[in-house]
Amino acid sequence: MPTGFITNLYVFVLAGFVGFEVIRRVSPLLHTPLMALTNALDAIVVVAAIIIAGRQGTALSATLGAIAVAAAFSNMVGGFLITDRMVRMFKLSGRERKQS
Amino acid sequence: MTTAQYLPDFVYIAAIALFVLSLRWLSSPATARRGVLAGEIGAALAVVTTLFNPELVQYRWIIIALAGGAAIGIPLGMVPMTAVPQRTAMSHAFGALAAALIGISEYYMRLPNINKFEMTEIALEVIIGSLSFTGSLIAAGKLQEILPQRPIVYKGQNYVSLSVLAAAIILALMLIFNPVRTAVFPLMVVISLFFGFLLVMPIGGADMPTVISLLNSYVGFTAALLGFVLNTKVLVVAGALDGASGFILSVIMCRAMNRSFTNVMFGAFGQLQVSAAGTVEERSVRTATPEDAAAILEAANYVMVVPGYGMAVAQAQHKVREFYDALTKRGIDVKFAIHPVAGRMPGHMNVLLAEADVPYDKLIEMEDANTEFPQVDVALVIGANDVTNPAARTDKSSPIYGMPILEVEKARTVMVIKRGMSPGFAGIDNQLYYLDKTLMLFGDAKNFVGNIVRELTSGGGH
């Protein structure tokens, strides 16, 4: 078993717990923006796709890489865009706004 | 190694930190925009740094693909709020596609030098990625109403689906024992794609919020697995965060419907519909006109609106906002009780109401709403059905028994806006409609609420 796997497993387990604790605190009001935002963050796979599309390799891997770049980048752009549109819509009522 | 070689790693670590902060700031609407900004900065830093990677020898396809991605992503980011569930399912599909394609590409790049361990990682990643891709496409098709929304079920379905999954696993095992079996790999991909199709086709209707959350977590775990394959920590972290989020939302959705994961995945609702359909009987209900309804509402001090997806279908949310304004102007307290599965995806109803400018401090969760109902003068149900059915608490023989509901029957008066007496998603008759305190307001939600608003504003308080 490669040592890289063990290190990645540490990272995965810790990140899972961080994710669990942070996301548990997200108000149910914002569960739809949450899903849109995590989609956009998950689109970070685009960095792996860029390497595969642009490195020295076969035509097949470059093609698969390029499609992956387009698919992931569309999520990144669209995900942040729609999350921002949604969270901008959440406003307090007049009375509450004056108090805060 | 020089320090400069580690620069990308430092940037990726910064990106990860920004991602965690991004989710942290999403906890409340007041800081949510800052959260989006943090995520954007982290993602931009990571992408730009990667473009300077010395491994890259050609940029043409990268540039074209980035431009193409932006050209698809921008319109998908501009869809109307009612279409957000299908957009989300589409983005699950894109995320799964990207991860699966990278895994496939890695397999062919590494041939013939793949050890058993690497092959296990790649096979698992490609199987989950592929099934999430087709599963998400089917979910998007159902939500967009291109595909039938009703669950599609047939005899022996679970056996067929499980056999297909078993076939994919057997092919994966064959590859692990001998990774150079290049004919087996594409077959494994095709069968995994087919399994994703079989997995989501039988699920529909009220289970869509759960399915979309489950697919969310699959896509996250695919990205994390890809991080293992490529030994890229930023993918492991982003995938773990996304996977955890999807998992938490799935648990919340299942709890809100009193279902287990297996129950959702292997669809019990489809069978129950049949048994429940025969028990509907003719009983009398009390009806009211917009004038009657307005008169009762004027006399109220506290009104609770219970919106369901039917409200969004009728495009009534902006009329509901006018209704809120008209009552608030008269000093009547108006709040909105939101069931966790009120929309087509987690939190969907809140977004629809926020879009119509209903202040978010007036949107309250189920538990809080249920402690309020005994003080509520009028509960107005718009386009919601099963989530208000008292049978879920009282009738052990009901298919929805045990499902947490909004206890609207505890309000002094209940009004239900509905097109007709047809049963809801689960095909179950609603006891609420036959109570003495219940008034049925038959008609289109948008028109009916509009008529009530007209009465409230023109009446001038008598």
Side-chain angles (χ1 to χ4, degrees):
Chain A
M1 200 173 282
T3 49
F5 172 77
I6 298 298
T7 324
N8 286 327
L9 199 57
Y10 273 113
V11 173
F12 177 75
V13 172
L14 290 175
F17 274 104
V18 171
F20 190 81
E21 288 303 319
V22 171
I23 288 153
R24 224 162 41 99
R25 288 184 173 78
V26 174
S27 157
L29 278 174
L30 295 177
H31 276 167
T32 297
L34 169 69
M35 208 183 269
L37 183 69
T38 53
N39 261 326
L41 300 183
D42 192 62
I44 196 71
V45 296
V46 76
V47 302
I50 287 174
I51 305 278
I52 287 171
R55 72 182 169 189
Q56 196 74 51
T58 59
L60 174 73
S61 84
T63 311
L64 295 179
I67 300 172
V69 169
F73 197 60
S74 79
N75 268 359
M76 192 174 266
V77 173
F80 283 126
L81 193 60
I82 201 149
T83 311
D84 196 53
R85 276 180 63 215
M86 286 193 279
V87 299
R88 256 191 342 227
M89 296 182 320
F90 283 85
K91 294 181 196 87
L92 285 171
S93 58
R95 202 171 9 144
E96 293 285 327
R97 219 173 308 166
K98 268 172 224 150
Q99 283 170 0
S100 62
Chain B
M1 284 237 181
T2 63
T3 323
Q5 277 173 292
Y6 288 109
L7 186 65
D9 280 303
F10 286 118
V11 175
Y12 288 159
I13 291 167
I16 288 170
L18 284 165
F19 285 3
V20 174
L21 281 175
S22 169
L23 292 170
R24 173 72 191 77
W25 282 327
L26 199 71
S27 60
S28 121
T31 53
R33 283 201 80 185
R34 197 195 308 163
V36 178
L37 188 64
E40 285 169 346
I41 293 171
L45 281 175
V47 170
V48 171
T49 308
T50 308
L51 289 173
F52 288 104
N53 190 305
E55 269 189 73
L56 298 179
V57 291
Q58 64 93 6
Y59 281 90
R60 196 163 48 123
W61 288 111
I62 297 175
I63 305 294
I64 293 172
L66 286 175
I72 304 166
I74 291 170
L76 278 178
M78 299 306 293
V79 299
M81 291 301 146
T82 41
V84 166
Q86 46 270 46
R87 190 215 79 91
T88 306
M90 274 312 288
S91 73
H92 291 341
F94 284 145
L97 176 70
L101 289 180
I102 297 169
I104 291 168
S105 158
E106 273 307 294
Y107 171 75
Y108 288 108
M109 275 297 281
R110 291 185 193 182
L111 274 177
N113 302 314
I114 304 182
N115 65 36
K116 287 191 169 65
F117 193 80
E118 289 174 330
M119 191 63 235
T120 311
E121 287 180 338
I122 292 176
L124 200 59
E125 196 265 337
V126 170
I127 289 177
I128 302 180
S130 305
L131 73 87
S132 309
F133 172 61
T134 42
S136 301
L137 281 184
I138 300 295
K142 280 177 180 260
L143 289 163
Q144 183 65 37
E145 298 176 19
I146 301 168
L147 296 169
Q149 288 168 277
R150 288 266 165 206
I152 294 166
V153 284
Y154 55 88
K155 259 202 164 129
Q157 185 166 40
N158 291 340
Y159 296 104
V160 174
S161 304
L162 287 175
S163 318
V164 173
L165 179 63
I169 292 167
I170 289 166
L171 293 172
L173 288 172
M174 284 168 70
L175 280 168
I176 290 164
F177 285 110
N178 186 5
V180 291
R181 279 189 240 243
T182 45
V184 175
F185 190 82
L187 195 60
M188 182 188 78
V189 175
V190 170
I191 290 187
S192 307
L193 290 170
F194 185 51
F195 178 69
F197 169 83
L198 292 179
L199 189 68
V200 179
M201 270 321 261
I203 310 172
D207 282 328
M208 287 322 281
T210 319
V211 174
I212 205 167
S213 310
L214 269 176
L215 288 166
N216 184 180
S217 76
Y218 290 173
V219 175
F221 291 128
T222 311
L225 273 166
L226 185 64
F228 278 84
V229 171
L230 302 172
N231 198 16
T232 310
K233 308 273 182 302
V234 67
L235 297 192
V236 176
V237 175
L241 295 176
D242 193 25
S245 169
F247 183 74
I248 292 172
L249 293 176
S250 309
V251 171
I252 294 172
M253 292 300 109
C254 279
R255 236 180 248 159
M257 303 210 20
N258 191 35
R259 313 273 303 277
S260 66
F261 282 147
T262 34
N263 202 321
V264 172
M265 298 317 283
F266 301 107
F269 254 44
Q271 296 144 24
L272 290 163
Q273 274 165 17
V274 186
S275 64
T279 61
V280 181
E281 52 186 293
E282 286 292 316
R283 275 189 287 174
S284 61
V285 294
R286 293 171 64 207
T287 61
T289 62
E291 294 77 36
D292 304 334
I296 297 169
L297 285 161
E298 275 169 358
N301 291 316
Y302 189 2
V303 174
M304 185 77 81
V305 179
V306 180
Y309 193 70
M311 181 198 73
V313 172
Q315 295 288 321
Q317 53 272 45
H318 294 276
K319 283 288 170 208
V320 168
R321 154 76 203 201
E322 287 175 28
F323 172 84
Y324 164 83
D325 282 342
L327 289 181
T328 309
K329 216 170 271 171
R330 289 165 177 263
I332 300 166
D333 204 4
V334 185
K335 284 185 184 154
F336 294 79
I338 314 289
H339 194 278
V341 294
R344 289 275 158 102
M345 68 180 286
H348 192 200
M349 190 53 65
N350 299 304
V351 171
L352 293 172
L353 290 168
E355 187 191 22
D357 278 332
V358 174
Y360 68 80
D361 48 294
K362 300 296 176 191
L363 310 177
I364 59 176
E365 292 170 46
M366 179 167 57
E367 289 77 18
D368 300 333
N370 282 344
T371 59
E372 296 280 301
F373 275 118
Q375 285 93 53
V376 169
D377 297 308
V378 180
L380 177 66
V381 181
I382 308 175
N385 188 347
D386 298 329
V387 297
T388 63
N389 194 342
R393 295 195 300 132
T394 52
D395 179 6
K396 280 201 171 122
S397 68
S398 171
I400 57 167
Y401 181 73
M403 177 172 132
I405 57 152
L406 288 161
E407 295 160 9
V408 288
E409 80 278 7
K410 292 193 177 157
R412 234 152 268 144
T413 305
V414 180
M415 295 183 190
V416 181
I417 302 184
K418 217 172 171 315
R419 279 188 170 281
M421 286 304 286
S422 66
F425 252 144
I428 306 151
D429 202 20
N430 195 337
Q431 302 303 313
L432 182 71
Y433 304 158
Y434 308 105
L435 298 177
D436 284 338
K437 61 166 76 167
T438 304
L439 290 171
M440 297 303 289
L441 314 178
F442 287 116
D444 171 71
K446 190 178 179 179
N447 289 336
F448 212 108
V449 176
N451 289 339
I452 295 178
V453 172
R454 197 168 325 122
E455 287 299 318
L456 288 170
T457 46
S458 68
H462 301 282

mmCIF file of all heavy atoms in Angstrom, chain B residues 189-227:
data_model
loop_
_atom_site.group_PDB
_atom_site.id
_atom_site.type_symbol
_atom_site.label_atom_id
_atom_site.label_comp_id
_atom_site.label_asym_id
_atom_site.label_seq_id
_atom_site.Cartn_x
_atom_site.Cartn_y
_atom_site.Cartn_z
ATOM 1 N N VAL B 189 -17.213 0.640 -17.819
ATOM 2 C CA VAL B 189 -17.730 2.010 -17.865
ATOM 3 C C VAL B 189 -19.181 2.005 -18.347
ATOM 4 O O VAL B 189 -20.067 2.612 -17.730
ATOM 5 C CB VAL B 189 -16.860 2.898 -18.792
ATOM 6 C CG1 VAL B 189 -17.483 4.290 -18.930
ATOM 7 C CG2 VAL B 189 -15.441 3.003 -18.255
ATOM 8 N N VAL B 190 -19.442 1.269 -19.441
ATOM 9 C CA VAL B 190 -20.790 1.247 -20.019
ATOM 10 C C VAL B 190 -21.793 0.671 -19.018
ATOM 11 O O VAL B 190 -22.894 1.212 -18.828
ATOM 12 C CB VAL B 190 -20.794 0.440 -21.340
ATOM 13 C CG1 VAL B 190 -22.218 0.206 -21.824
ATOM 14 C CG2 VAL B 190 -19.993 1.175 -22.403
ATOM 15 N N ILE B 191 -21.403 -0.403 -18.341
ATOM 16 C CA ILE B 191 -22.326 -1.023 -17.382
ATOM 17 C C ILE B 191 -22.581 -0.106 -16.196
ATOM 18 O O ILE B 191 -23.706 -0.012 -15.695
ATOM 19 C CB ILE B 191 -21.790 -2.407 -16.960
ATOM 20 C CG1 ILE B 191 -21.921 -3.345 -18.170
ATOM 21 C CG2 ILE B 191 -22.537 -2.958 -15.751
ATOM 22 C CD1 ILE B 191 -21.601 -4.773 -17.918
ATOM 23 N N SER B 192 -21.559 0.630 -15.775
ATOM 24 C CA SER B 192 -21.757 1.586 -14.677
ATOM 25 C C SER B 192 -22.706 2.702 -15.105
ATOM 26 O O SER B 192 -23.562 3.134 -14.328
ATOM 27 C CB SER B 192 -20.431 2.203 -14.248
ATOM 28 O OG SER B 192 -19.491 1.213 -13.965
ATOM 29 N N LEU B 193 -22.554 3.159 -16.342
ATOM 30 C CA LEU B 193 -23.461 4.188 -16.864
ATOM 31 C C LEU B 193 -24.898 3.663 -16.854
ATOM 32 O O LEU B 193 -25.829 4.355 -16.441
ATOM 33 C CB LEU B 193 -23.073 4.578 -18.295
ATOM 34 C CG LEU B 193 -21.774 5.363 -18.485
ATOM 35 C CD1 LEU B 193 -21.418 5.448 -19.961
ATOM 36 C CD2 LEU B 193 -21.879 6.761 -17.889
ATOM 37 N N PHE B 194 -25.056 2.416 -17.264
ATOM 38 C CA PHE B 194 -26.380 1.799 -17.318
ATOM 39 C C PHE B 194 -26.958 1.666 -15.900
ATOM 40 O O PHE B 194 -28.143 1.905 -15.678
ATOM 41 C CB PHE B 194 -26.267 0.427 -17.998
ATOM 42 C CG PHE B 194 -27.586 -0.256 -18.207
ATOM 43 C CD1 PHE B 194 -28.643 0.395 -18.825
ATOM 44 C CD2 PHE B 194 -27.771 -1.565 -17.783
ATOM 45 C CE1 PHE B 194 -29.869 -0.236 -19.011
ATOM 46 C CE2 PHE B 194 -28.985 -2.207 -17.967
ATOM 47 C CZ PHE B 194 -30.034 -1.545 -18.582
ATOM 48 N N PHE B 195 -26.102 1.337 -14.941
ATOM 49 C CA PHE B 195 -26.590 1.200 -13.568
ATOM 50 C C PHE B 195 -27.125 2.532 -13.030
ATOM 51 O O PHE B 195 -28.146 2.574 -12.339
ATOM 52 C CB PHE B 195 -25.496 0.658 -12.648
ATOM 53 C CG PHE B 195 -25.954 0.549 -11.217
ATOM 54 C CD1 PHE B 195 -26.904 -0.396 -10.856
ATOM 55 C CD2 PHE B 195 -25.468 1.406 -10.241
ATOM 56 C CE1 PHE B 195 -27.354 -0.478 -9.550
ATOM 57 C CE2 PHE B 195 -25.918 1.321 -8.934
ATOM 58 C CZ PHE B 195 -26.862 0.378 -8.586
ATOM 59 N N GLY B 196 -26.437 3.641 -13.357
ATOM 60 C CA GLY B 196 -26.905 4.960 -12.926
ATOM 61 C C GLY B 196 -28.310 5.239 -13.436
ATOM 62 O O GLY B 196 -29.160 5.767 -12.714
ATOM 63 N N PHE B 197 -28.551 4.840 -14.686
ATOM 64 C CA PHE B 197 -29.873 4.982 -15.296
ATOM 65 C C PHE B 197 -30.914 4.168 -14.518
ATOM 66 O O PHE B 197 -31.963 4.677 -14.127
ATOM 67 C CB PHE B 197 -29.751 4.525 -16.760
ATOM 68 C CG PHE B 197 -31.042 4.352 -17.487
ATOM 69 C CD1 PHE B 197 -31.691 5.437 -18.060
ATOM 70 C CD2 PHE B 197 -31.610 3.087 -17.615
ATOM 71 C CE1 PHE B 197 -32.883 5.271 -18.741
ATOM 72 C CE2 PHE B 197 -32.796 2.924 -18.294
ATOM 73 C CZ PHE B 197 -33.432 4.014 -18.855
ATOM 74 N N LEU B 198 -30.586 2.885 -14.254
ATOM 75 C CA LEU B 198 -31.519 2.016 -13.528
ATOM 76 C C LEU B 198 -31.770 2.507 -12.107
ATOM 77 O O LEU B 198 -32.850 2.326 -11.555
ATOM 78 C CB LEU B 198 -30.961 0.584 -13.463
ATOM 79 C CG LEU B 198 -30.872 -0.196 -14.764
ATOM 80 C CD1 LEU B 198 -30.269 -1.562 -14.512
ATOM 81 C CD2 LEU B 198 -32.255 -0.344 -15.398
ATOM 82 N N LEU B 199 -30.751 3.125 -11.522
ATOM 83 C CA LEU B 199 -30.838 3.549 -10.125
ATOM 84 C C LEU B 199 -31.853 4.668 -9.939
ATOM 85 O O LEU B 199 -32.602 4.689 -8.968
ATOM 86 C CB LEU B 199 -29.447 4.022 -9.672
ATOM 87 C CG LEU B 199 -29.237 4.319 -8.182
ATOM 88 C CD1 LEU B 199 -29.301 3.035 -7.382
ATOM 89 C CD2 LEU B 199 -27.894 5.006 -7.965
ATOM 90 N N VAL B 200 -31.899 5.620 -10.873
ATOM 91 C CA VAL B 200 -32.725 6.812 -10.661
ATOM 92 C C VAL B 200 -34.089 6.724 -11.360
ATOM 93 O O VAL B 200 -35.060 7.312 -10.894
ATOM 94 C CB VAL B 200 -31.960 8.096 -11.063
ATOM 95 C CG1 VAL B 200 -32.805 9.334 -10.863
ATOM 96 C CG2 VAL B 200 -30.670 8.212 -10.262
ATOM 97 N N MET B 201 -34.191 5.943 -12.460
ATOM 98 C CA MET B 201 -35.489 5.835 -13.152
ATOM 99 C C MET B 201 -36.657 5.497 -12.213
ATOM 100 O O MET B 201 -37.723 6.085 -12.333
ATOM 101 C CB MET B 201 -35.412 4.774 -14.270
ATOM 102 C CG MET B 201 -34.984 5.298 -15.643
ATOM 103 S SD MET B 201 -35.620 6.897 -16.113
ATOM 104 C CE MET B 201 -36.989 6.431 -17.152
ATOM 105 N N PRO B 202 -36.505 4.526 -11.291
ATOM 106 C CA PRO B 202 -37.668 4.165 -10.462
ATOM 107 C C PRO B 202 -37.979 5.164 -9.358
ATOM 108 O O PRO B 202 -38.948 4.987 -8.625
ATOM 109 C CB PRO B 202 -37.274 2.816 -9.860
ATOM 110 C CG PRO B 202 -35.836 2.660 -10.053
ATOM 111 C CD PRO B 202 -35.356 3.666 -11.028
ATOM 112 N N ILE B 203 -37.169 6.194 -9.191
ATOM 113 C CA ILE B 203 -37.412 7.135 -8.100
ATOM 114 C C ILE B 203 -38.035 8.390 -8.681
ATOM 115 O O ILE B 203 -37.666 8.819 -9.774
ATOM 116 C CB ILE B 203 -36.104 7.483 -7.373
ATOM 117 C CG1 ILE B 203 -35.352 6.212 -7.018
ATOM 118 C CG2 ILE B 203 -36.384 8.297 -6.121
ATOM 119 C CD1 ILE B 203 -33.975 6.446 -6.477
ATOM 120 N N GLY B 204 -38.991 8.966 -7.960
ATOM 121 C CA GLY B 204 -39.585 10.172 -8.517
ATOM 122 C C GLY B 204 -40.410 10.909 -7.497
ATOM 123 O O GLY B 204 -40.363 10.612 -6.302
ATOM 124 N N GLY B 205 -41.181 11.850 -7.991
ATOM 125 C CA GLY B 205 -42.117 12.582 -7.168
ATOM 126 C C GLY B 205 -41.477 13.183 -5.941
ATOM 127 O O GLY B 205 -40.484 13.893 -6.019
ATOM 128 N N ALA B 206 -42.061 12.852 -4.784
ATOM 129 C CA ALA B 206 -41.662 13.483 -3.533
ATOM 130 C C ALA B 206 -40.252 13.097 -3.104
ATOM 131 O O ALA B 206 -39.696 13.711 -2.199
ATOM 132 C CB ALA B 206 -42.664 13.100 -2.441
ATOM 133 N N ASP B 207 -39.662 12.072 -3.718
ATOM 134 C CA ASP B 207 -38.320 11.649 -3.319
ATOM 135 C C ASP B 207 -37.205 12.426 -4.022
ATOM 136 O O ASP B 207 -36.037 12.208 -3.735
ATOM 137 C CB ASP B 207 -38.117 10.150 -3.594
ATOM 138 C CG ASP B 207 -38.787 9.307 -2.541
ATOM 139 O OD1 ASP B 207 -38.842 9.757 -1.382
ATOM 140 O OD2 ASP B 207 -39.266 8.217 -2.869
ATOM 141 N N MET B 208 -37.555 13.311 -4.955
ATOM 142 C CA MET B 208 -36.516 14.028 -5.698
ATOM 143 C C MET B 208 -35.536 14.791 -4.804
ATOM 144 O O MET B 208 -34.327 14.750 -5.068
ATOM 145 C CB MET B 208 -37.129 14.964 -6.746
ATOM 146 C CG MET B 208 -37.717 14.262 -7.964
ATOM 147 S SD MET B 208 -36.812 12.839 -8.582
ATOM 148 C CE MET B 208 -35.486 13.609 -9.491
ATOM 149 N N PRO B 209 -36.006 15.494 -3.738
ATOM 150 C CA PRO B 209 -35.015 16.197 -2.900
ATOM 151 C C PRO B 209 -33.975 15.244 -2.299
ATOM 152 O O PRO B 209 -32.804 15.613 -2.174
ATOM 153 C CB PRO B 209 -35.860 16.840 -1.797
ATOM 154 C CG PRO B 209 -37.222 16.963 -2.384
ATOM 155 C CD PRO B 209 -37.383 15.783 -3.303
ATOM 156 N N THR B 210 -34.400 14.030 -1.941
ATOM 157 C CA THR B 210 -33.447 13.073 -1.372
ATOM 158 C C THR B 210 -32.474 12.597 -2.441
ATOM 159 O O THR B 210 -31.269 12.502 -2.206
ATOM 160 C CB THR B 210 -34.186 11.857 -0.794
ATOM 161 O OG1 THR B 210 -35.347 12.312 -0.120
ATOM 162 C CG2 THR B 210 -33.308 11.082 0.154
ATOM 163 N N VAL B 211 -32.998 12.273 -3.624
ATOM 164 C CA VAL B 211 -32.155 11.761 -4.701
ATOM 165 C C VAL B 211 -31.090 12.789 -5.085
ATOM 166 O O VAL B 211 -29.909 12.456 -5.242
ATOM 167 C CB VAL B 211 -33.008 11.416 -5.934
ATOM 168 C CG1 VAL B 211 -32.131 11.026 -7.105
ATOM 169 C CG2 VAL B 211 -33.963 10.299 -5.610
ATOM 170 N N ILE B 212 -31.517 14.024 -5.213
ATOM 171 C CA ILE B 212 -30.587 15.066 -5.643
ATOM 172 C C ILE B 212 -29.482 15.248 -4.589
ATOM 173 O O ILE B 212 -28.316 15.448 -4.926
ATOM 174 C CB ILE B 212 -31.364 16.372 -5.965
ATOM 175 C CG1 ILE B 212 -30.611 17.218 -6.950
ATOM 176 C CG2 ILE B 212 -31.722 17.155 -4.757
ATOM 177 C CD1 ILE B 212 -31.462 18.325 -7.517
ATOM 178 N N SER B 213 -29.838 15.096 -3.307
ATOM 179 C CA SER B 213 -28.832 15.205 -2.245
ATOM 180 C C SER B 213 -27.878 14.016 -2.279
ATOM 181 O O SER B 213 -26.664 14.170 -2.095
ATOM 182 C CB SER B 213 -29.490 15.272 -0.873
ATOM 183 O OG SER B 213 -30.500 16.233 -0.845
ATOM 184 N N LEU B 214 -28.434 12.818 -2.501
ATOM 185 C CA LEU B 214 -27.588 11.622 -2.562
ATOM 186 C C LEU B 214 -26.606 11.713 -3.728
ATOM 187 O O LEU B 214 -25.424 11.422 -3.582
ATOM 188 C CB LEU B 214 -28.452 10.373 -2.739
ATOM 189 C CG LEU B 214 -28.916 9.677 -1.468
ATOM 190 C CD1 LEU B 214 -29.828 8.524 -1.818
ATOM 191 C CD2 LEU B 214 -27.735 9.181 -0.653
ATOM 192 N N LEU B 215 -27.104 12.142 -4.889
ATOM 193 C CA LEU B 215 -26.221 12.292 -6.053
ATOM 194 C C LEU B 215 -25.142 13.324 -5.760
ATOM 195 O O LEU B 215 -23.989 13.167 -6.149
ATOM 196 C CB LEU B 215 -27.030 12.690 -7.292
ATOM 197 C CG LEU B 215 -27.906 11.581 -7.874
ATOM 198 C CD1 LEU B 215 -28.904 12.151 -8.870
ATOM 199 C CD2 LEU B 215 -27.062 10.504 -8.545
ATOM 200 N N ASN B 216 -25.517 14.377 -5.026
ATOM 201 C CA ASN B 216 -24.555 15.387 -4.607
ATOM 202 C C ASN B 216 -23.405 14.733 -3.844
ATOM 203 O O ASN B 216 -22.233 14.967 -4.127
ATOM 204 C CB ASN B 216 -25.278 16.426 -3.735
ATOM 205 C CG ASN B 216 -24.393 17.588 -3.314
ATOM 206 O OD1 ASN B 216 -24.819 18.492 -2.630
ATOM 207 N ND2 ASN B 216 -23.134 17.573 -3.707
ATOM 208 N N SER B 217 -23.745 13.854 -2.907
ATOM 209 C CA SER B 217 -22.673 13.256 -2.119
ATOM 210 C C SER B 217 -21.857 12.271 -2.959
ATOM 211 O O SER B 217 -20.648 12.190 -2.814
ATOM 212 C CB SER B 217 -23.210 12.631 -0.837
ATOM 213 O OG SER B 217 -23.852 11.428 -1.098
ATOM 214 N N TYR B 218 -22.493 11.550 -3.892
ATOM 215 C CA TYR B 218 -21.723 10.658 -4.777
ATOM 216 C C TYR B 218 -20.697 11.444 -5.573
ATOM 217 O O TYR B 218 -19.551 11.032 -5.719
ATOM 218 C CB TYR B 218 -22.635 9.948 -5.797
ATOM 219 C CG TYR B 218 -23.570 8.912 -5.243
ATOM 220 C CD1 TYR B 218 -24.523 8.314 -6.050
ATOM 221 C CD2 TYR B 218 -23.492 8.510 -3.924
ATOM 222 C CE1 TYR B 218 -25.394 7.367 -5.566
ATOM 223 C CE2 TYR B 218 -24.361 7.561 -3.421
ATOM 224 C CZ TYR B 218 -25.321 6.999 -4.249
ATOM 225 O OH TYR B 218 -26.183 6.070 -3.765
ATOM 226 N N VAL B 219 -21.135 12.585 -6.127
ATOM 227 C CA VAL B 219 -20.238 13.391 -6.950
ATOM 228 C C VAL B 219 -19.062 13.882 -6.104
ATOM 229 O O VAL B 219 -17.910 13.860 -6.536
ATOM 230 C CB VAL B 219 -20.999 14.575 -7.595
ATOM 231 C CG1 VAL B 219 -20.051 15.486 -8.345
ATOM 232 C CG2 VAL B 219 -22.070 14.058 -8.542
ATOM 233 N N GLY B 220 -19.373 14.295 -4.859
ATOM 234 C CA GLY B 220 -18.297 14.721 -3.964
ATOM 235 C C GLY B 220 -17.307 13.604 -3.705
ATOM 236 O O GLY B 220 -16.089 13.796 -3.812
ATOM 237 N N PHE B 221 -17.820 12.412 -3.420
ATOM 238 C CA PHE B 221 -16.909 11.307 -3.127
ATOM 239 C C PHE B 221 -16.131 10.876 -4.374
ATOM 240 O O PHE B 221 -14.986 10.435 -4.264
ATOM 241 C CB PHE B 221 -17.662 10.142 -2.479
ATOM 242 C CG PHE B 221 -18.118 10.481 -1.086
ATOM 243 C CD1 PHE B 221 -19.435 10.305 -0.690
ATOM 244 C CD2 PHE B 221 -17.220 11.020 -0.165
ATOM 245 C CE1 PHE B 221 -19.851 10.651 0.596
ATOM 246 C CE2 PHE B 221 -17.624 11.375 1.120
ATOM 247 C CZ PHE B 221 -18.953 11.187 1.494
ATOM 248 N N THR B 222 -16.724 11.039 -5.558
ATOM 249 C CA THR B 222 -15.980 10.760 -6.787
ATOM 250 C C THR B 222 -14.775 11.692 -6.896
ATOM 251 O O THR B 222 -13.661 11.254 -7.204
ATOM 252 C CB THR B 222 -16.870 10.982 -8.034
ATOM 253 O OG1 THR B 222 -18.109 10.314 -7.844
ATOM 254 C CG2 THR B 222 -16.206 10.439 -9.288
ATOM 255 N N ALA B 223 -14.997 12.974 -6.615
ATOM 256 C CA ALA B 223 -13.895 13.942 -6.690
ATOM 257 C C ALA B 223 -12.815 13.600 -5.663
ATOM 258 O O ALA B 223 -11.614 13.680 -5.959
ATOM 259 C CB ALA B 223 -14.422 15.349 -6.459
ATOM 260 N N ALA B 224 -13.236 13.186 -4.467
ATOM 261 C CA ALA B 224 -12.261 12.827 -3.432
ATOM 262 C C ALA B 224 -11.451 11.605 -3.885
ATOM 263 O O ALA B 224 -10.231 11.567 -3.738
ATOM 264 C CB ALA B 224 -12.976 12.548 -2.114
ATOM 265 N N LEU B 225 -12.140 10.610 -4.462
ATOM 266 C CA LEU B 225 -11.443 9.422 -4.964
ATOM 267 C C LEU B 225 -10.447 9.793 -6.065
ATOM 268 O O LEU B 225 -9.350 9.243 -6.130
ATOM 269 C CB LEU B 225 -12.460 8.427 -5.525
ATOM 270 C CG LEU B 225 -13.077 7.455 -4.531
ATOM 271 C CD1 LEU B 225 -14.285 6.774 -5.144
ATOM 272 C CD2 LEU B 225 -12.038 6.411 -4.120
ATOM 273 N N LEU B 226 -10.864 10.733 -6.903
ATOM 274 C CA LEU B 226 -9.956 11.193 -7.952
ATOM 275 C C LEU B 226 -8.709 11.812 -7.328
ATOM 276 O O LEU B 226 -7.599 11.631 -7.832
ATOM 277 C CB LEU B 226 -10.670 12.214 -8.850
ATOM 278 C CG LEU B 226 -9.878 12.685 -10.068
ATOM 279 C CD1 LEU B 226 -9.619 11.535 -11.019
ATOM 280 C CD2 LEU B 226 -10.620 13.801 -10.783
ATOM 281 N N GLY B 227 -8.893 12.516 -6.220
ATOM 282 C CA GLY B 227 -7.757 13.065 -5.486
ATOM 283 C C GLY B 227 -6.807 11.961 -5.035
ATOM 284 O O GLY B 227 -5.591 12.115 -5.089
#
